[in-house]
Amino acid sequence: MLLTHATLATMTNGYGLIPDAAVAMDGNRIAWAGPMADLPATYRALPEHDANGRLVTPGLIDCHTHAVFAGHRAVEFELRLNGASYEEIAWAGGGILSTVTATRATSEDTLLALALPRVDQLIASGATTIEVKSGYGLTVTDELKMLRVARRIGLHRPVTVKTTHLAAHAIPPEYKGQPKAYIAEVALPSLRDAYADGLIDAVDAFCETIAFSVEDLAPLFAEARALGLPVKLHAEQLTDQGGAAFAARHAALSADHLEYLSAEGVAAMAAAGTVAVILPGAFYTLRESQLPPITALRDAGVPMAVATDLNPGSSPMASLTLAMNMACTLFRLTPAEALLGTTAHAARALGLADRGRIVPGLRADLCIWDADHPAEISYRIGATPLYKRIFGGHLDA
Ligand code: NIG
Ligand code: FE
């Protein structure tokens, strides 16, 4: 198909704006993009959709979600408002572990039915690619169950789903005080099984005092490397554990959260080309006061991505455009950085070289916005000016 009269933000060189532009698509790929006046004759006969001057961007990419889970944590939200901290709730067996109890008790089909409306909200905010992590099963069987659900989302919705093994998300009660035994007996076997079943694209972990140390995680990242799977890490969210530097040593695709990232961590990420995934929803929900070192990351040339971190505890938020707004207002990203963060840089955080910009040869995932300037996508609070989406060259009704 041929999209005409678009205000294109190609995301090459900042916004890479092209006024009155056309995008020609061949199958699920972009064949040509440029000014209407330069449109080659070969594409003029394609079925046309007139964007009427609307802004067209790459389809948005949510590169960090925990969209598969059962139950909710509204009661903990209330406990926190009555003075308890996220860590206190976690140590008392609540937090992630309360979602683990609910998720273990829920069937694969029900988990899928619970996840799809959340994914629909992400799609409504412009997402055409999402990442989904396991990490609320914490047994071999339940981690595999979650990963099968994550894979099945892509069969029911037009989004691309990248799945991430996150068995090292929390230490379940049966392994309390034994993180190394948990890694050896659950995280590693579930990683091998998930890999053998073709259920995962990457390996993640939660490096934190309430979860795993760098030392605990070394065998897991070694196994990921042996299997040829890329790694990423929840790092420096609540304290500085040297997680980002550890991840960078393993050539991680991304290190995520990063509120407590040190100057050494920034330098290690810059040297390794590891993407900084900024998660303002968790910062906001936990009323964190420590800001991630945005200026240092920017100055070091570390690419920054922005994601929802959609999860029942620290970020019950299913809007990428709200995450972009929060990244701008809370973290002082520019709207151009926020949009790069949900397009080109988010693609890189997932190891996807085939999307995130409007360039010939890349996947034709596009968003058409009722907007004329890309800053409008980040500017509105909780409103998404999305007009239509194109998934792999197909206009979504
Ligand atoms: O990214 N930090 C660890 N994992 C999630 C929290 C998950 C939860 O609280 O259920 C996060 O914030
Ligand atoms: Fe997370």
Side-chain angles (χ1 to χ4, degrees):
M1 68 172 282
L2 179 68
L3 191 60
T4 55
H5 301 292
T7 302
L8 270 195
T10 60
M11 305 317 287
T12 53
N13 243 327
Y15 287 134
L17 281 178
I18 310 177
D20 201 32
V23 183
M25 290 159 258
D26 186 7
N28 63 8
R29 299 284 138 180
I30 297 165
W32 187 88
M36 283 293 290
D38 300 346
L39 179 67
T42 36
Y43 300 123
R44 293 209 180 118
L46 289 172
E48 184 181 331
H49 181 83
D50 190 337
N52 275 314
R54 289 186 182 87
L55 173 72
V56 174
T57 68
L60 302 189
I61 298 171
D62 194 349
C63 66
H64 183 140
T65 88
H66 308 251
V68 174
F69 60 85
H72 64 77
R73 308 240 290 277
V75 174
E76 288 171 20
F77 174 62
E78 183 137 32
L79 283 174
R80 286 200 304 277
L81 284 161
N82 281 300
S85 76
Y86 184 71
E87 280 123 311
E88 279 161 10
I89 292 167
W91 285 122
I96 293 173
L97 293 181
S98 70
T99 302
V100 170
T101 305
T103 303
R104 284 179 178 176
T106 302
S107 73
E108 201 172 310
D109 286 348
T110 302
L111 282 173
L112 178 66
L114 291 169
L116 289 175
R118 298 174 195 134
V119 172
D120 288 337
Q121 288 180 282
L122 293 175
I123 292 172
S125 76
T128 53
T129 297
I130 62 170
E131 183 255 19
V132 179
K133 302 173 192 297
S134 67
Y136 293 123
L138 311 187
T139 64
V140 174
T141 316
D142 291 303
E143 286 294 301
L144 291 176
K145 175 176 77 175
M146 284 191 72
L147 290 163
R148 281 194 300 272
V149 173
R151 277 281 195 250
R152 283 173 65 191
I153 291 169
L155 303 175
H156 293 266
R157 293 295 183 271
V159 281
T160 303
V161 180
K162 298 293 276 183
T163 57
T164 302
H165 176 269
L166 179 61
H169 191 200
I171 303 160
E174 58 275 20
Y175 283 93
K176 196 167 181 171
Q178 306 170 73
K180 289 182 176 59
Y182 172 78
I183 295 290
E185 292 166 27
V186 179
L188 286 172
S190 66
L191 172 57
R192 293 186 192 110
D193 288 0
Y195 174 78
D197 290 352
L199 290 174
I200 45 173
D201 303 306
V203 179
D204 192 356
F206 188 20
C207 183
E208 193 49 69
T209 51
I210 55 172
F212 300 92
S213 69
V214 158
E215 198 196 322
D216 297 333
L217 295 173
L220 185 73
F221 275 19
E223 184 65 21
R225 175 172 299 189
L227 296 173
L229 287 167
V231 295
K232 36 181 58 239
L233 191 66
H234 285 70
E236 276 73 91
Q237 180 188 10
L238 309 168
T239 57
D240 181 9
Q241 298 294 311
F246 166 73
R249 284 198 294 282
H250 289 79
L253 289 174
S254 70
D256 304 37
H257 287 287
L258 305 173
E259 277 82 346
Y260 291 83
L261 182 65
S262 66
E264 296 75 54
V266 173
M269 289 178 67
T274 296
V275 176
V277 179
I278 301 302
L279 303 169
F283 175 93
Y284 167 88
T285 300
L286 302 181
R287 296 192 80 242
E288 180 57 67
S289 53
Q290 172 89 15
L291 285 161
I294 300 298
T295 308
L297 289 164
R298 183 186 288 133
D299 290 350
V302 175
M304 290 182 276
V306 176
T308 62
D309 195 13
L310 166 56
N311 76 64
S314 66
S315 191
M317 173 170 87
S319 167
L320 254 181
T321 52
L322 182 55
M324 291 165 73
N325 174 268
M326 287 179 173
C328 292
T329 301
L330 299 175
F331 294 168
R332 313 309 289 164
L333 262 69
T334 65
E337 286 173 327
L339 189 55
L340 271 172
T342 52
T343 55
H345 292 167
R348 183 164 159 182
L350 295 178
L352 289 169
D354 70 341
R355 64 196 70 199
R357 293 191 157 96
I358 302 179
V359 169
L362 296 198
R363 198 178 146 79
D365 285 344
L366 303 171
C367 286
I368 309 174
W369 306 89
D370 258 325
D372 52 36
H373 191 278
E376 286 186 65
I377 302 171
S378 294
Y379 146 82
R380 292 196 176 79
I381 306 168
T384 300
L386 187 66
Y387 174 66
K388 278 190 163 82
R389 296 159 289 255
I390 295 177
F391 289 99
H394 290 280
L395 190 69
D396 199 42

